[in-house]
Amino acid sequence: MYLRYKNKGYIRMSHIFKTKMVLGFLLVILCFSNVFFVLWEISQGVPRTPAFVISPAVLGITMILAMFLTQAERMMGIQSSGILLIYWLLSFLSAVVMFSSKIQHGLEKGFLEDPFHHVATYLYVSLVLGELVLFCLVDHPPFFSKAVNDPNQCPEASSSFLSKITYWWLSGLVWKGYQQSLGVDDLWSVRKEDSSEEIVTWAEKEWKKYHSRTKQNKESATFKKRQKSETSITEAEETEVLLQSEYSQSRPLLKAFWSMFGTYFLLSTLCLVICDVFLFSIPKILSLFLEFIEDQEAPSWHGYFYAFIMVLLACLQTLFEQRYMYMCLVLGLRLKTAVTGLVYRKILIMSNASRKAVTVGEIVNLVSVDVQKLMDLIIYFNGTWLAPIRIIICFVFLWQLLGPSALTSIAVFLFLLPLNFMITKKRSHFQETQMKHKDERAKLTNAILSDIKVIKLYGWEKTFMEKVLGIRKQELQALKRSQILFSASLASFNSSTFLIAFVMFAVYTLVDNTHVLDAQKAFVSLTLINILNTAHSFLPFSINAVVQAKVSLNRIAAFLNLEELNPESSNRNTSDCVQASITIRNGTFCWSKETSPCLRRIDLTVPQGSLLAIVGQVGTGKSSMLSALLGELEQMDGCVTMKGTAAYVPQQAWIQNASVEDNILFGNEMDEAWFNSVVDACALQPDLESFPAGQKSEIGEKGINISGGQKQRVNLARAVYQKASIYLLDDPLSAVDAHVGQHIFEHVLGPSGLLKDKTRVLVTHTIGILHQVDNIVVLVDGMISEIGSYQELLQRNGAFAEFLHSHITAEENACSGFPATGGTSSTVTSRCPSQEKFFSDNSVKSSAMGRETTPASQDTTSAAATEGILTTGEKTHHGRVNTSIYAAYLKATGIPLCVYIILLFTCQQALSFFRGYWLSMWTNDPVYNGTQQHTELRVGVFGALGVIQAVCRFVSTAAVLLGGVIASHKLFLQLLRNVGRSPMVFFEQTPIGNLLNRFSREMDAIDSIIPDKLKSLLGFLFNLLEIYLVIIVATPKAAMAIVPLTVFYAVFQHFYVVTSCQLRRMDAASRSPIYSHISETFHGSSVIRAYKDQERFILKSNFLVDENQRICFAGAVADRWLATNLEFLGNGIVLFAALFATVGRKHLSPGTAGFSISYALQITGVLNWMVRSWTEIENNIVSVERVREYSRTPKEAPWTLNGKLQGQVWLTEGRIEFRNYSLRYRPNLELALKHINLSIKGKEKIGITGRTGAGKSTLAVGLLRLVEAAEGAILIDGQDIAQLGLHDLRTKITVIPQDPVLFSGTLRMNLDPLNQYTDADIWTALEVTQLKNFVADLPDQLEYKCTDRGENLSVGQKQLVCLARALLQKAKVLILDEATAAVDLETDLQIQSTLRTQFKESTVLTIAHRINTIMDCDRILVLDNGQISEFEYSRTINSSEGTVLQTNGRIWSCLTDSWSTP
């Protein structure tokens, strides 16, 4: 069994192996020589017992077996054998005993009496020692081993057995971390058995197996239940209840994990059981040692023997305990990998109904918080059954010492146990409340950070910050109550040692005068009570861990059980026998099983290579049709077939946080020629030329640093580059202006475009291109109303013709007065000039797609610009944490409170010392006539000291924990304010994962971990000082040993802390990319599925998780390295305390010796936990460092300015004046707006146009001060806006951005976040925006829950909600930034009409692509390259004079070709 799982390839014969075999061969010869010599002696008549023959014969046989095992292990590639090392160690110890007896025998009777046996013994001991030394060394690596080929292999595999059990193989990394800054490259590769590839594949297989088995059992049991007769209704109901409990969601997941990790967990449990055997052996040895101290006649070697045995047992206990912890931590990391992998894979196959049930924040919580609870369970679970066994054994030993008085300890224990259970239960209730609020806060924070631009545009930061702080206040309230209960629990636990000892000693001595409390009884009892106390404390922790893990397991299982997409919804057929590219037969589809169908009775055939357009009003199911083709919808009826590969362009562009090139290639190989063709066709070349690093420039998360048009073109370029068979395009032209749209249609989508031979399904509102498509599908209320070519549909004079006529009439009204400069290609009416082509391809390439002047196309600094890096990765600080960070935390806690805490800890530790000293004096009281004097006084003072100490402990602990809550509140407030006050450039450069990490994980550490560890550190530090004081008072000579051992301790601690802190920082930095990748995948899962690219994203997830595991594994082993070394040092202090007590026993009372040794036995735990606490603080104080990091970043101008606008009403007219206004996005970059001078009258309607990148949106950016002016000023109603607070400005201006944004919450909250308007006002606004009927039909109407980012509404509906929001505000200045790009033309015209009516008293600035959108404006402003090109009255343009047309050529070229009508 042992060798079967260890085959790593054979090891060539080395000098070490040959020497081992030679020595082994000599030992075999020596043993059998002994046998033959004894047989010869017997034949000579020398009397010998059979043992003289059997013993060397057995030794010889075992030596032969050892040699065979050595050879077998060499063939299996084992470089260092633990079994053989232990064998040779035991052989050596027995040989030493034999050697000492031979020496003693020789000294007594002379060496020449039996020279052969003397010489044989000396040779035997020497040879065994040689074998022991050789087996401590490591042999050569095995041949043909895959692991050996890894240049960065974990050193554990090639280290010796001794190095493995003491973790000294990590010393190289600790030394390197001390000398230099560690990087990920300094760590080892993930071991194969720990890698995501191995574990997640295994986990997936096991989960599917048990999940499917549970589903089958549930279905069969449900079927049987239905078979029951109607008479057994009650029984059937009981069965149902049983079924629900029996087939709980988490059970299959638990079974899957057990089948994977159960055996390894049981092996770790065995280590813990062996550790406990040694743990209980130590009090027995202490009892014998104190007997020895009391008995002045006992030989001194007894004392030395007991001292060494006590330390040996303690060292063995250390080794087994640390092996248990190591195995648990490795198992925890594997479990974390498995859960993260399962959750990530689930994201890729979730149905739409499932996506509505969860948010990104909740998923991130699953792979961070909930996984941590499961990892804690692995360590604590054994406490649930082992702790009661420990308690029982302690009671048995106490009975042996104190007799029936020990029963009183049971009474005390039984009193404390329910008290602790009650406290734990109440505390877990508060923790659940806290977790609930934490989830709410995470969800809201994620929404705020995702859509910070919109929040800043509306000046809502304060409102949303108040919402976050409201939730945070409830969270901290629950935490505060939890911490007070925790203090009470800790005080009761720490005082239980005293309480049990006090009651037992009082009953023992007061019940019977003849009962004498001597040192042996008192201090061995105290040692046992300490063990009892540890078990007693471990039990509620273990139960709490089990309860929390159960909740977390249920949450993970609930997520994994969410509804998945049906892989058969869309059939991808690759055979050539199918002629049509796309076929839908009688298709009925819905978004989820609970909702009504969104598409009904769809019959559609799309021939190969054709271009199909899908048109219809907002909300008729156009986007749903594409989702149905991709298999994203629930298929209720019919079938869908697609022939070949598909590429998908969603309406809302999905962009990865990667370079432009990576976004376009999307995992494919680079083909330079094809890449350039695609970039040119998608009108991206001028943008790439303007980007700092061209195609290598990085795009921020969710494309935050590029314009809507650039996002859509990158999205389109990605699809085109794929060379797919079928292209599904969801209104890709809505986000770009007329010129770019025309260019894209001609060069990509149209009859002569790159995709001319491909099958294209195009959802569009741009009806000017419909005459160029092969077929048109008209959707009305989720059904196909008409289908056919453009001419066919017009000739039928049906719904499409009416729809078209209404559009043309509307367009003619918009274009009235325009001459028909082109031919009449339409059979219905002559086109407006807006449909003519007024620009050449060259003009498109040179200027129409000029640089987008949005904040993002510029980079952060001139240095970063050369590399095109925009987002800043997580900063990993090096070295130890600066003392200023500790000072900042203590300042947040409050300096007076800190001083008060130190005084409290000093008082309670002084009381502890005096209590122990009083007990030692009590045990030294002389015995007269079988009784001790002053027993009542001794009991009374002992009890009083203990009670006062318990009160001090509770107050000091509560002070630390509540001080932590105060600090946490202040630091969170600082973080929220610092982030909220940051300008937009900060959010463009900082990945959302980094910010979420600060608000979740880092704040969690500040909330709970730092106060807890600070409390532990102070407790252990004062405890350590007390132990040192006790040992030095009892045995002053021990100070000689304590000083150097403390120096060693300080060295270990220093080395460890430096390395551990770096590993902790690297761990924190490596987690953020995992969360960002999860968020990115969640939002882009439909695109990933469409491209069938799940495998690549899974590989990236595996890579990110493995990178994090590399760091976590090194950190876990570093903890074991420290614990093992410190406990060995602590055992050294115990050894010296015992040795000096043995040496000075004639001058030492048993009470003082017991006092000293019992305290010294605690030192291993105290040292270990103290450094652990110190390290945890240093590791977690990094969270304070990271949270305060943003206090140094640049901030926006003040939100409000005292004294400004007070007592005066501002913005009553809406006059806007630009005076020599210039703007640049970053220092050292060229101006995006150049010397703008213009004046806009109050109530005037201004249309702003210009080619892509001309600076249209930048004008709005400047007006709202998202970026401050480089020079010049903007005046509104005569007031310089630079002199106003940002909120004073932004709340008076309403803006409707290009990308509609909704928050997770009710529809009412989205319409009125500040809760300023009545329901009647809201319904009026909805009616005006054509949404009243839609909202009235929703299940909860205004209280209808919008999902994350409003994903349960169409883009058009979301835009209308944003318009309704603007109507409610009725500001004096309104900015529309492509606000109607996502709606159809008819709705657009209705909206424009509404805006004219509702905002007739307001100044309106309209940035638009469509001519009809701005033709009603009073004046039209044309921008070109950041400068004013034209600024004319629209009536001048509407003049039928030809000269005017020529004069206003620039306006004309910008306004025409919106191809809005056929």
Side-chain angles (χ1 to χ4, degrees):
M1 284 288 288
Y2 162 66
L3 290 173
R4 186 189 300 172
Y5 298 104
K6 295 281 184 180
N7 194 350
K8 298 177 183 175
Y10 75 91
I11 298 171
R12 287 189 296 183
M13 283 196 189
S14 62
H15 294 303
I16 292 175
F17 173 75
K18 288 172 184 174
T19 312
K20 284 177 187 175
M21 296 304 281
V22 168
L23 292 183
F25 186 64
L26 291 173
L27 279 166
V28 170
I29 292 171
L30 193 60
C31 289
F32 283 106
S33 299
N34 248 331
V35 172
F36 294 134
F37 183 75
V38 171
L39 290 173
W40 176 78
E41 280 186 321
I42 292 169
S43 68
Q44 296 298 312
V46 179
R48 295 290 185 197
T49 59
F52 277 88
V53 177
I54 295 168
S55 178
V58 169
L59 273 176
I61 292 165
T62 56
M63 297 294 171
I64 292 168
L65 286 172
M67 286 173 67
F68 273 117
L69 191 55
T70 305
Q71 167 64 6
E73 287 187 336
R74 181 182 74 83
M75 297 306 291
M76 293 293 178
I78 296 167
Q79 293 172 263
S80 179
S81 171
I83 288 176
L84 287 171
L85 180 69
I86 292 167
Y87 167 74
W88 288 115
L89 178 63
L90 294 174
S91 297
F92 178 69
L93 291 174
S94 64
V96 167
V97 173
M98 198 161 57
F99 178 74
S100 62
S101 73
K102 282 292 176 191
I103 292 287
Q104 196 173 356
H105 184 268
L107 291 171
E108 289 172 5
K109 298 186 180 178
F111 290 96
L112 297 176
E113 186 188 351
D114 190 4
F116 178 82
H117 282 108
H118 276 287
V119 172
T121 301
Y122 305 149
L123 279 173
Y124 177 76
V125 172
S126 305
L127 291 169
V128 169
L129 178 61
E131 286 280 29
L132 179 61
V133 171
L134 287 170
F135 274 91
C136 288
L137 303 175
V138 186
D139 213 334
H140 291 174
F143 236 39
F144 307 121
S145 171
K146 289 179 185 175
V148 176
N149 294 333
D150 183 358
N152 201 15
Q153 184 192 2
C154 177
E156 185 188 22
S158 57
S159 59
S160 69
F161 178 73
L162 277 177
S163 180
K164 281 177 185 171
I165 63 172
T166 56
Y167 308 99
W168 266 85
W169 54 269
L170 186 89
S171 300
L173 181 69
V174 174
W175 177 247
K176 185 184 276 189
Y178 176 73
Q179 286 184 309
Q180 63 184 55
S181 298
L182 287 177
V184 180
D185 293 337
D186 295 312
L187 306 178
W188 327 285
S189 305
V190 176
R191 299 181 300 179
K192 189 168 184 262
E193 61 269 26
D194 296 334
S195 67
S196 295
E197 186 185 358
E198 287 277 315
I199 288 173
V200 182
T201 308
W202 189 12
E204 218 174 358
K205 187 179 78 176
E206 294 296 325
W207 162 245
K208 282 176 182 173
K209 181 174 79 177
Y210 286 105
H211 181 56
S212 59
R213 194 179 293 173
T214 304
K215 276 175 75 176
Q216 287 168 7
N217 291 343
K218 194 171 182 179
E219 284 165 10
S220 67
T222 307
F223 176 75
K224 285 175 186 173
K225 182 171 74 71
R226 285 175 185 161
Q227 302 302 310
K228 289 188 177 282
S229 62
E230 292 179 7
T231 56
S232 57
I233 292 170
T234 311
E235 194 179 341
E237 286 174 356
E238 286 173 3
T239 310
E240 190 170 1
V241 172
L242 285 170
L243 280 169
Q244 287 171 354
S245 59
E246 187 180 351
Y247 299 108
S248 64
Q249 286 186 325
S250 60
R251 185 158 297 182
L253 186 61
L254 190 61
K255 285 180 179 177
F257 288 153
W258 180 257
S259 69
M260 290 174 69
F261 308 126
T263 308
Y264 195 77
F265 179 72
L266 290 175
L267 282 173
S268 70
T269 304
L270 179 63
C271 289
L272 188 60
V273 171
I274 295 168
C275 165
D276 275 12
V277 172
F278 294 125
L279 177 70
F280 282 107
S281 304
I282 292 169
K284 285 295 182 187
I285 304 298
L286 175 62
S287 178
L288 293 170
F289 182 77
L290 291 176
E291 273 183 27
F292 158 77
I293 295 287
E294 205 166 348
D295 182 7
Q296 296 292 332
E297 302 300 319
S300 293
W301 71 267
H302 282 195
Y304 298 125
F305 176 74
Y306 293 143
F308 279 107
I309 286 293
M310 195 152 51
V311 170
L312 177 64
L313 291 172
C315 288
L316 288 170
Q317 183 203 336
T318 295
L319 292 175
F320 277 98
E321 185 180 18
Q322 296 313 319
R323 180 50 51 173
Y324 166 73
M325 291 297 292
Y326 170 78
M327 293 176 81
C328 285
L329 288 164
V330 166
L331 194 51
L333 293 177
R334 289 176 184 173
L335 184 64
K336 182 180 175 183
T337 301
V339 171
T340 307
L342 288 174
V343 166
Y344 186 79
R345 281 152 181 75
K346 181 72 180 184
I347 291 170
L348 290 169
I349 53 172
M350 284 166 66
S351 69
N352 286 288
S354 301
R355 287 171 63 81
K356 290 175 188 175
V358 289
T359 62
V360 176
E362 287 167 342
I363 295 171
V364 168
N365 269 351
L366 290 181
V367 297
S368 55
V369 180
D370 289 307
V371 165
Q372 189 59 50
K373 304 290 183 199
L374 295 182
M375 291 170 75
D376 292 342
L377 175 71
I378 293 168
I379 295 171
Y380 287 114
F381 177 75
N382 282 311
T384 54
W385 64 273
L386 207 53
I389 293 171
R390 284 178 182 170
I391 291 165
I392 292 165
I393 294 170
C394 284
F395 283 146
V396 170
F397 282 9
L398 286 169
W399 179 281
Q400 290 174 354
L401 279 168
L402 300 173
S405 304
L407 291 173
T408 56
S409 68
I410 298 175
V412 175
F413 182 74
L414 291 176
F415 165 72
L416 289 173
L417 199 62
L419 178 70
N420 278 328
F421 268 117
M422 193 173 70
I423 291 171
T424 306
K425 189 177 177 184
K426 193 72 179 164
R427 188 168 171 247
S428 79
H429 166 69
F430 287 130
Q431 283 176 328
E432 280 175 21
T433 308
Q434 186 198 348
M435 279 299 288
K436 190 181 113 194
H437 293 312
K438 192 179 286 184
D439 275 351
E440 279 178 46
R441 177 167 60 81
K443 198 171 173 181
L444 182 57
T445 308
N446 185 38
I448 292 169
L449 294 174
S450 297
D451 299 309
I452 189 70
K453 187 173 182 180
V454 171
I455 290 171
K456 284 198 172 292
L457 287 173
Y458 287 108
W460 287 343
E461 297 102 318
K462 204 170 177 183
T463 306
F464 276 90
M465 279 167 64
E466 281 168 4
K467 285 184 180 182
V468 172
L469 287 172
I471 299 170
R472 176 70 176 164
K473 187 179 177 184
Q474 292 175 300
E475 185 188 338
L476 288 182
Q477 197 64 38
L479 177 65
K480 199 182 288 183
R481 290 172 180 170
S482 172
Q483 297 292 49
I484 291 169
L485 286 174
F486 188 42
S487 303
S489 177
L490 285 169
S492 82
F493 158 62
N494 288 313
S495 305
S496 61
T497 306
F498 148 74
L499 200 58
I500 292 170
F502 169 67
V503 172
M504 275 202 315
F505 295 161
V507 171
Y508 182 72
T509 54
L510 295 176
V511 167
D512 190 340
N513 287 341
T514 59
H515 286 176
V516 175
L517 189 67
D518 58 20
Q520 185 193 354
K521 289 188 179 74
F523 292 105
V524 173
S525 295
L526 280 179
T527 307
L528 285 167
I529 292 168
N530 278 329
I531 296 172
L532 174 70
N533 217 10
T534 308
H536 170 213
S537 71
F538 207 61
L539 193 58
F541 273 117
S542 302
I543 291 166
N544 191 34
V546 169
V547 170
Q548 288 195 342
K550 188 173 183 291
V551 172
S552 292
L553 192 71
N554 286 338
R555 280 160 59 100
I556 293 166
F559 176 77
L560 294 178
N561 278 298
L562 286 173
E563 187 181 76
E564 296 176 3
L565 288 170
N566 183 1
E568 297 173 4
S569 294
S570 177
N571 179 25
R572 296 278 178 96
N573 195 326
T574 54
S575 67
D576 293 329
C577 59
V578 183
Q579 290 303 310
S581 272
I582 300 170
T583 311
I584 304 179
R585 291 278 173 266
N586 193 32
T588 299
F589 306 92
C590 60
W591 282 101
S592 68
K593 289 174 182 173
E594 291 75 33
T595 58
S596 56
C598 56
L599 294 170
R600 296 186 299 279
R601 297 191 292 280
I602 302 294
D603 277 295
L604 180 66
T605 302
V606 184
Q608 197 163 334
S610 65
L611 171 56
L612 173 78
I614 300 176
V615 298
Q617 303 286 358
V618 170
T620 52
K622 302 183 295 297
S623 297
S624 299
M625 178 79 91
L626 298 190
S627 295
L629 290 173
L630 291 168
E632 297 286 312
L633 298 191
E634 192 71 36
Q635 188 173 308
M636 299 175 75
D637 194 13
C639 65
V640 179
T641 307
M642 287 173 64
K643 180 184 172 186
T645 55
Y648 173 51
V649 180
Q651 189 171 9
Q652 280 191 300
W654 175 68
I655 300 292
Q656 289 182 273
N657 180 200
S659 68
V660 179
E661 182 182 293
D662 290 339
N663 267 284
I664 295 173
L665 296 183
F666 206 57
N668 290 316
E669 292 293 322
M670 169 58 92
D671 178 344
E672 285 285 349
W674 177 240
F675 182 86
N676 291 332
S677 302
V678 170
V679 165
D680 282 338
C682 295
L684 275 169
Q685 193 57 48
D687 299 284
L688 295 187
E689 288 168 5
S690 71
F691 287 162
Q695 65 197 51
K696 300 288 184 185
S697 296
E698 185 187 2
I699 301 177
E701 283 189 289
K702 298 178 186 172
I704 193 170
N705 61 324
I706 56 176
S707 72
Q710 287 170 325
K711 276 194 271 191
Q712 194 60 277
R713 280 178 281 142
V714 170
N715 220 25
L716 182 63
R718 175 200 296 148
V720 177
Y721 191 85
Q722 303 300 309
K723 297 183 179 176
S725 313
I726 299 168
Y727 284 81
L728 306 176
L729 308 144
D730 196 351
D731 207 5
L733 304 174
S734 64
V736 296
D737 64 28
H739 296 82
V740 178
Q742 181 78 350
H743 175 87
I744 287 172
F745 187 78
E746 287 184 5
H747 291 82
V748 180
L749 307 175
S752 57
L754 286 178
L755 304 180
K756 61 180 183 291
D757 299 324
K758 308 289 186 180
T759 306
R760 291 141 291 157
V761 178
L762 174 67
V763 169
T764 185
H765 291 124
T766 313
I767 61 174
I769 61 169
L770 296 181
H771 62 284
Q772 298 185 62
V773 306
D774 298 322
N775 277 301
I776 301 168
V777 169
V778 184
L779 284 178
V780 177
D781 293 330
M783 297 174 71
I784 294 179
S785 170
E786 286 186 293
I787 187 166
S789 68
Y790 180 77
Q791 297 296 340
E792 286 170 4
L793 292 181
L794 282 178
Q795 287 165 8
R796 283 181 201 165
N797 205 23
F800 178 72
E802 288 176 22
F803 167 75
L804 212 57
H805 276 293
S806 66
H807 274 36
I808 290 159
T809 306
E811 188 72 7
E812 282 175 342
N813 292 337
C815 298
S816 58
F818 276 84
T821 54
T824 56
S825 61
S826 167
T827 57
V828 182
T829 181
S830 91
R831 292 189 290 164
C832 291
S834 63
Q835 296 131 30
E836 299 301 322
K837 186 176 179 183
F838 284 92
F839 57 89
S840 66
D841 290 349
N842 290 335
S843 71
V844 172
K845 290 176 184 174
S846 61
S847 58
M849 282 76 65
R851 179 177 55 78
E852 297 266 4
T853 52
T854 56
S857 60
Q858 316 299 344
D859 225 345
T860 56
T861 62
S862 55
T866 57
E867 297 173 16
I869 301 300
L870 171 86
T871 53
T872 53
E874 285 280 34
K875 291 178 184 174
T876 306
H877 301 273
H878 299 294
R880 296 192 73 159
V881 178
N882 197 303
T883 49
S884 63
I885 304 299
Y886 290 99
Y889 182 78
L890 295 176
K891 189 179 174 185
T893 306
I895 301 301
L897 182 60
C898 295
V899 174
Y900 176 62
I901 287 166
I902 296 295
L903 287 172
L904 281 170
F905 271 96
T906 307
C907 288
Q908 68 110 350
Q909 212 63 51
L911 287 163
S912 174
F913 173 78
F914 287 122
R915 183 166 56 82
Y917 186 68
W918 185 263
L919 182 62
S920 73
M921 287 167 61
W922 183 0
T923 59
N924 288 333
D925 278 350
V927 179
Y928 298 107
N929 300 322
T931 61
Q932 285 175 312
Q933 304 300 309
H934 315 301
T935 305
E936 291 83 358
L937 177 65
R938 295 292 190 196
V939 170
V941 173
F942 183 73
L945 288 169
V947 169
I948 297 167
Q949 187 203 350
V951 172
C952 283
R953 192 180 285 274
F954 168 71
V955 176
S956 59
T957 306
V960 174
L961 296 177
L962 293 178
V965 174
I966 293 166
S968 182
H969 170 67
K970 288 180 182 174
L971 290 167
F972 182 83
L973 202 58
Q974 284 175 23
L975 173 66
L976 190 63
R977 283 176 178 164
N978 286 329
V979 171
R981 297 270 296 102
S982 296
M984 270 313 298
V985 63
F986 168 81
F987 297 98
E988 290 163 10
Q989 294 170 351
T990 311
I992 194 171
N994 294 16
L995 293 169
L996 285 174
N997 213 359
R998 300 294 190 280
F999 280 102
S1000 58
R1001 182 123 190 160
E1002 309 301 350
M1003 280 315 305
D1004 194 39
I1006 295 168
D1007 284 351
S1008 310
I1009 301 172
I1010 293 177
D1012 184 42
K1013 299 306 173 188
L1014 187 60
K1015 170 265 306 172
S1016 300
L1017 175 68
L1018 289 169
F1020 290 125
L1021 175 64
F1022 281 96
N1023 203 349
L1024 181 68
L1025 294 174
E1026 183 194 357
I1027 291 168
Y1028 278 179
L1029 183 63
V1030 167
I1031 294 172
I1032 291 168
V1033 166
T1035 51
K1037 290 180 184 175
M1040 293 187 296
I1042 283 174
V1043 171
L1045 285 171
T1046 304
V1047 170
F1048 275 122
Y1049 154 74
V1051 169
F1052 275 119
Q1053 187 255 11
H1054 184 67
F1055 272 78
Y1056 167 77
V1057 169
V1058 173
T1059 303
S1060 180
C1061 285
Q1062 291 188 71
L1063 290 172
R1064 162 78 172 89
R1065 287 163 176 164
M1066 288 161 67
D1067 174 32
S1070 69
R1071 275 197 308 269
S1072 296
I1074 297 172
Y1075 304 152
S1076 293
H1077 187 56
I1078 284 172
S1079 174
E1080 199 170 71
T1081 305
F1082 182 78
H1083 291 303
S1085 56
S1086 58
V1087 177
I1088 296 165
R1089 284 193 294 270
Y1091 288 105
K1092 299 290 181 191
D1093 212 11
Q1094 295 98 317
E1095 193 57 39
R1096 183 168 63 87
F1097 278 80
I1098 285 170
L1099 288 173
K1100 186 180 177 185
S1101 171
N1102 286 354
F1103 171 75
L1104 292 172
V1105 171
D1106 284 349
E1107 286 295 286
N1108 178 247
Q1109 296 301 70
R1110 282 171 75 178
I1111 301 162
C1112 291
F1113 177 70
V1117 179
D1119 287 345
R1120 306 284 60 79
W1121 177 88
L1122 173 79
T1124 307
N1125 287 311
L1126 284 192
E1127 290 196 20
F1128 281 164
L1129 278 178
N1131 293 337
I1133 291 173
V1134 174
L1135 175 65
F1136 284 111
L1139 289 176
F1140 284 119
T1142 304
V1143 170
R1145 66 179 171 137
K1146 297 199 187 302
H1147 315 291
L1148 196 66
S1149 68
T1152 311
F1155 187 30
S1156 171
I1157 304 293
S1158 63
Y1159 269 62
L1161 280 169
Q1162 296 174 36
I1163 203 166
T1164 54
V1166 170
L1167 277 178
N1168 199 349
W1169 284 106
M1170 193 183 114
V1171 180
R1172 199 86 70 75
S1173 303
W1174 173 249
T1175 310
E1176 284 290 329
I1177 287 174
E1178 185 120 355
N1179 281 342
N1180 285 287
I1181 206 80
V1182 174
S1183 295
V1184 177
E1185 187 178 26
R1186 286 155 71 84
V1187 161
R1188 292 183 75 249
E1189 197 178 299
Y1190 297 141
S1191 62
R1192 296 182 293 277
T1193 54
K1195 299 292 178 284
E1196 284 183 313
W1199 286 341
T1200 53
L1201 288 172
N1202 292 332
K1204 289 286 175 186
L1205 304 179
Q1206 293 206 346
Q1208 58 176 306
V1209 179
W1210 175 68
L1211 197 49
T1212 54
E1213 298 175 45
R1215 284 181 291 109
I1216 303 171
E1217 187 181 352
F1218 287 78
R1219 292 183 181 172
N1220 197 35
Y1221 183 80
S1222 300
L1223 178 146
R1224 60 164 56 90
Y1225 282 108
R1226 312 278 187 281
N1228 308 320
L1229 292 178
E1230 63 182 65
L1231 292 169
L1233 288 177
K1234 301 163 189 170
H1235 312 295
I1236 301 290
N1237 284 289
L1238 63 91
S1239 181
I1240 297 168
K1241 299 169 190 169
K1243 304 180 187 176
E1244 200 171 8
K1245 310 297 180 279
I1246 304 296
I1248 302 172
T1249 187
R1251 290 172 174 161
T1252 303
K1256 305 185 296 294
S1257 295
T1258 306
L1259 208 63
V1261 164
L1263 201 57
L1264 289 154
R1265 284 177 65 197
L1266 284 179
V1267 178
E1268 296 292 348
E1271 57 181 296
I1274 300 175
L1275 278 68
I1276 300 181
D1277 280 6
Q1279 176 75 49
D1280 185 351
I1281 65 169
Q1283 304 302 315
L1284 298 172
L1286 291 180
H1287 283 184
D1288 295 334
L1289 171 68
R1290 291 171 185 170
T1291 52
K1292 295 288 195 299
I1293 299 174
T1294 297
V1295 61
I1296 304 173
Q1298 189 170 359
D1299 294 326
V1301 169
L1302 299 186
F1303 297 95
S1304 180
T1306 65
L1307 195 58
R1308 195 193 195 292
M1309 187 277 286
N1310 275 290
L1311 287 163
D1312 180 21
L1314 308 185
N1315 205 21
Q1316 294 175 314
Y1317 306 103
T1318 64
D1319 282 6
D1321 293 336
I1322 292 170
W1323 280 112
T1324 304
L1326 290 172
E1327 187 173 13
V1328 170
T1329 52
Q1330 321 288 320
L1331 276 175
K1332 186 176 180 181
N1333 293 338
F1334 167 72
V1335 175
D1337 291 340
L1338 291 174
D1340 300 312
Q1341 297 189 344
L1342 288 178
E1343 296 304 310
Y1344 177 71
K1345 289 279 182 190
C1346 297
T1347 55
D1348 200 19
R1349 300 178 69 80
E1351 287 191 354
N1352 51 350
L1353 299 178
S1354 75
V1355 177
Q1357 287 164 338
K1358 283 193 278 186
Q1359 192 63 280
L1360 291 172
V1361 170
C1362 292
L1363 281 165
R1365 188 193 287 155
L1367 287 173
L1368 282 168
Q1369 290 177 305
K1370 288 185 181 170
K1372 278 291 175 186
V1373 176
L1374 172 69
I1375 301 171
L1376 298 169
D1377 188 358
E1378 310 291 359
T1380 56
V1383 297
D1384 58 82
L1385 182 62
E1386 190 177 355
T1387 310
D1388 182 7
L1389 293 169
Q1390 288 171 343
I1391 288 167
Q1392 296 304 324
S1393 169
T1394 302
L1395 290 173
R1396 283 194 295 276
T1397 312
Q1398 298 295 321
F1399 287 94
K1400 63 184 177 186
E1401 297 298 315
S1402 302
T1403 305
V1404 181
L1405 307 181
T1406 307
I1407 301 166
H1409 292 152
R1410 290 173 175 167
I1411 184 171
N1412 56 288
T1413 306
I1414 58 171
M1415 286 312 293
D1416 267 357
C1417 296
D1418 300 322
R1419 285 194 287 173
I1420 293 173
L1421 170 67
V1422 183
L1423 291 173
D1424 184 22
N1425 198 25
Q1427 296 175 303
I1428 296 176
S1429 176
E1430 300 282 351
F1431 190 30
E1432 297 290 346
Y1433 285 96
S1434 60
R1435 63 176 175 271
T1436 310
I1437 299 170
N1438 287 332
S1439 166
S1440 57
E1441 299 293 329
T1443 53
V1444 175
L1445 181 64
Q1446 292 168 1
T1447 306
N1448 295 289
R1450 287 195 186 92
I1451 300 177
W1452 206 240
S1453 68
C1454 290
L1455 293 176
T1456 52
D1457 295 296
S1458 62
W1459 24 290
S1460 300
T1461 60

